[in-house]
Amino acid sequence: MNRFLLWAPFIGIGSLVTGANIETGQSRYTMPVVGVSAEYALTPRLSVASSAAAGALPGGCAGSCPDAGVALDVSALWLVTSPDEAWGVFVGPSVAYTTFGASTAGVGGAVSAGVRRGIGPRLTIRSHAMFAGEVRRTTRAELGLVLTR
């Protein structure tokens, strides 16, 4: 079996839902993020993926909104399309840690579609329900460029 390691730098949009800001009443914040993901194939259909992203609201924000932070997550991804193709669709559970707003951890899932090996685009959506602090849910859409050795 070809156990390949996939690397993908990405840009994206991160969205987090928090308790309402006392000054503005806003409870959803969306900001640009940049990061990198890595994926290692355990079997032809199962892989382990990790992702790290950082982002900030351009110019900050008024009040006490979470204007910058990092997000880390690890996923177990199952390939739902043919393992013989260079492109594919993955789904699976994920755990996450974020410092956007209050530092907190959570569980959720990831869906990823695009290049599996070689060079090309990959779109990944990650969504997590968070356990503690003000952050209730995080969602991140990443458009990455897969660079596989």
Side-chain angles (χ1 to χ4, degrees):
M1 181 184 77
N2 180 16
R3 292 189 186 215
F4 59 88
L5 181 64
L6 174 147
W7 291 96
F10 62 83
I11 58 171
I13 298 292
S15 174
L16 47 128
V17 177
T18 68
N21 182 309
I22 295 171
E23 295 177 20
T24 65
Q26 187 172 0
S27 63
R28 176 189 235 34
Y29 299 94
T30 301
M31 65 188 68
V33 295
V34 296
V36 65
S37 61
E39 184 177 304
Y40 182 74
L42 299 174
T43 72
R45 289 204 177 265
L46 181 65
S47 61
V48 174
S50 61
S51 173
L57 287 172
C61 63
S64 60
C65 74
D67 60 354
V70 296
L72 309 168
D73 61 75
V74 176
S75 305
L77 296 175
W78 181 258
L79 177 65
V80 296
T81 54
S82 171
D84 298 326
E85 302 296 323
W87 290 69
V89 175
F90 292 87
V91 297
S94 183
V95 294
Y97 173 78
T98 184
T99 64
F100 288 102
S103 295
T104 185
V107 295
V111 176
S112 187
V115 169
R116 295 182 49 236
R117 58 182 176 263
I119 296 175
R122 184 117 171 230
L123 176 64
T124 303
I125 310 271
R126 303 175 194 280
S127 187
H128 298 93
M130 307 311 279
F131 293 130
E134 294 182 4
V135 178
R136 305 283 195 273
R137 182 173 38 114
T138 64
T139 302
R140 199 166 72 234
E142 309 164 354
L143 180 57
L145 176 62
V146 173
L147 304 170
T148 304
R149 64 174 176 97

